[in-house]
Amino acid sequence: RQYAKEKLKHVQSGGDDCDIDVILNVLRDVCDFEDDDDTSSHDRRGKYSASKRAAHQVGYQDSEEEGLYDVAEKYKWIPRVVFECAWFTDKADPQMRNRILQIVDDVLLGVASKESSTERSNASESLTPTSSAVGLAMIVKSIQLQPGENSMHADGKAPNSNAYKWMCNLFVQRANLQRALSAYIDARARMKIYRSGSEEALAADATAMEHLERVAALSAPISSLTSTGNPPSTSLDSILQTFHCARDKHIFRILATIASPTHSQSARARAFEDLPKRTKSLGTTTSAWVRAL
């Protein structure tokens, strides 16, 4: 977190509309973007940037440059280990994916340090969406540059690490789940357009249920939601029907926030705090299923 905060301080100070040149400078410095024609993929993995190599060759005359490299080397294993945890299946741990994303939000990126000009005291402020996006790009590139354990490919390029593969798998799964959940919420909202009991309302209800079944297909199996791992007494169809008929509209507002790819870290934190309270009346298994989304 400290390393990311230091690198993102200029992007953070630029706010949501941070100048693109500031962002590009940070990405060039941290992510070591180079032309593939000049440097092979294998040569870039685990290497310094051009400026860091030059500093190393002259014996690290700039102590600050040496310090920044040491910090990067010291902490770069952390995101790798975090995303390697994505290999746990939903059956083994249905909450693992959410915990990984929470660690990225709260620990790896965390909050920015805000120093008061009057009291000179440290306070905390959430990273702007722009800072979070740049910080995630730093993490992705860091993991991508770490070589895998297998032998070289035939084209001479080093394979990606398992962490990078699992990270990509996690992002794809989350994106698909977000789209499916968003489609269900939109379909459920369209049911209100029609008169209750009408043919159009019944058709809209059936369409919404189809979207909800798609969400269930992308979610953790219900057998993993019990403490024993045994199939729960409530069937999946019953869980989906109970959830679909929930009268607490705030549940769907919370899920709509999470389904948005641009939701903030604070919105995600509030959602995980409010969902258990709002879904408690739906029953233990249904509540657990909703919280695992």
Side-chain angles (χ1 to χ4, degrees), residues 165-277:
K165 297 171 185 175
W166 284 113
M167 178 185 66
C168 293
N169 181 71
L170 174 65
F171 287 163
V172 169
Q173 188 277 335
R174 293 302 298 181
N176 290 337
L177 180 57
Q178 281 186 322
R179 284 193 290 266
L181 184 58
S182 181
Y184 164 70
I185 293 173
D186 291 342
R188 191 177 186 279
R190 286 193 292 271
M191 292 167 49
K192 302 176 183 178
I193 301 176
Y194 308 107
R195 179 174 54 85
S196 178
S198 65
E199 183 177 347
E200 294 83 359
L202 294 176
D205 181 80
T207 300
M209 281 301 298
E210 289 178 0
H211 285 294
L212 185 57
E213 290 170 356
R214 171 63 176 164
V215 172
L218 294 169
S219 306
I222 59 174
S223 60
S224 65
L225 303 178
T226 61
S227 58
T228 61
N230 296 324
S233 56
T234 307
S235 66
L236 178 60
D237 290 341
S238 178
I239 291 174
L240 298 183
Q241 192 63 40
T242 300
F243 170 70
H244 182 62
C245 297
R247 296 185 178 183
D248 188 347
K249 298 178 181 179
H250 195 66
I251 295 175
F252 301 99
R253 294 194 187 100
I254 295 173
L255 293 176
T257 300
I258 298 177
S260 170
T262 58
H263 70 265
S264 65
Q265 297 174 5
S266 58
R268 181 179 177 83
R270 287 196 304 271
F272 280 110
E273 181 179 350
D274 292 345
L275 269 179
K277 304 173 186 177

Side-chain angles (χ1 to χ4, degrees), residues 12-278:
Q12 179 73 7
S13 62
D16 290 345
D17 297 323
C18 181
D19 188 275
I20 187 62
D21 289 332
V22 174
I23 295 175
L24 291 177
N25 286 337
V26 172
L27 292 177
R28 290 191 188 102
D29 177 53
V30 178
C31 299
D32 191 17
F33 288 119
E34 298 180 29
D35 192 337
D36 286 342
D37 294 336
D38 298 331
T39 307
S40 70
S41 175
H42 174 60
D43 182 62
R44 291 199 309 270
R45 298 178 188 274
K47 300 285 186 179
Y48 312 161
S49 65
S51 62
K52 290 183 176 61
R53 284 196 296 269
H56 181 69
Q57 291 170 358
V58 298
Y60 280 125
Q61 295 179 1
D62 188 342
S63 60
E64 181 180 357
E65 184 74 25
E66 179 182 7
L68 287 176
Y69 173 71
D70 289 343
V71 171
E73 286 296 297
K74 181 178 180 180
Y75 293 117
K76 71 178 183 180
W77 64 271
I78 297 177
R80 185 193 74 239
V81 172
V82 169
F83 281 105
E84 281 177 348
C85 293
W87 76 270
F88 283 96
T89 64
D90 285 330
K91 186 175 182 180
D93 191 338
Q95 296 293 337
M96 179 59 76
R97 289 193 302 242
N98 283 333
R99 283 201 295 272
I100 292 173
L101 297 176
Q102 189 172 5
I103 288 174
V104 173
D105 285 344
D106 298 343
V107 179
L108 299 188
L109 297 179
V111 296
S113 176
K114 184 178 182 181
E115 189 175 48
S116 172
S117 58
T118 56
E119 301 178 0
R120 313 298 294 176
S121 60
N122 290 331
S124 295
E125 63 171 343
S126 297
L127 291 177
T128 65
T130 303
S131 294
S132 297
V134 175
L136 182 60
M138 290 163 47
I139 293 173
V140 170
K141 192 65 176 179
S142 170
I143 296 176
Q144 185 182 26
L145 292 178
Q146 297 181 33
E149 299 177 356
N150 298 325
S151 58
M152 299 287 289
H153 292 314
D155 57 7
K157 296 182 178 180
N160 293 120
S161 65
N162 288 333
Y164 182 74
K165 297 171 185 175
W166 284 113
M167 178 185 66
C168 293
N169 181 71
L170 174 65
F171 287 163
V172 169
Q173 188 277 335
R174 293 302 298 181
N176 290 337
L177 180 57
Q178 281 186 322
R179 284 193 290 266
L181 184 58
S182 181
Y184 164 70
I185 293 173
D186 291 342
R188 191 177 186 279
R190 286 193 292 271
M191 292 167 49
K192 302 176 183 178
I193 301 176
Y194 308 107
R195 179 174 54 85
S196 178
S198 65
E199 183 177 347
E200 294 83 359
L202 294 176
D205 181 80
T207 300
M209 281 301 298
E210 289 178 0
H211 285 294
L212 185 57
E213 290 170 356
R214 171 63 176 164
V215 172
L218 294 169
S219 306
I222 59 174
S223 60
S224 65
L225 303 178
T226 61
S227 58
T228 61
N230 296 324
S233 56
T234 307
S235 66
L236 178 60
D237 290 341
S238 178
I239 291 174
L240 298 183
Q241 192 63 40
T242 300
F243 170 70
H244 182 62
C245 297
R247 296 185 178 183
D248 188 347
K249 298 178 181 179
H250 195 66
I251 295 175
F252 301 99
R253 294 194 187 100
I254 295 173
L255 293 176
T257 300
I258 298 177
S260 170
T262 58
H263 70 265
S264 65
Q265 297 174 5
S266 58
R268 181 179 177 83
R270 287 196 304 271
F272 280 110
E273 181 179 350
D274 292 345
L275 269 179
K277 304 173 186 177
R278 293 286 178 174

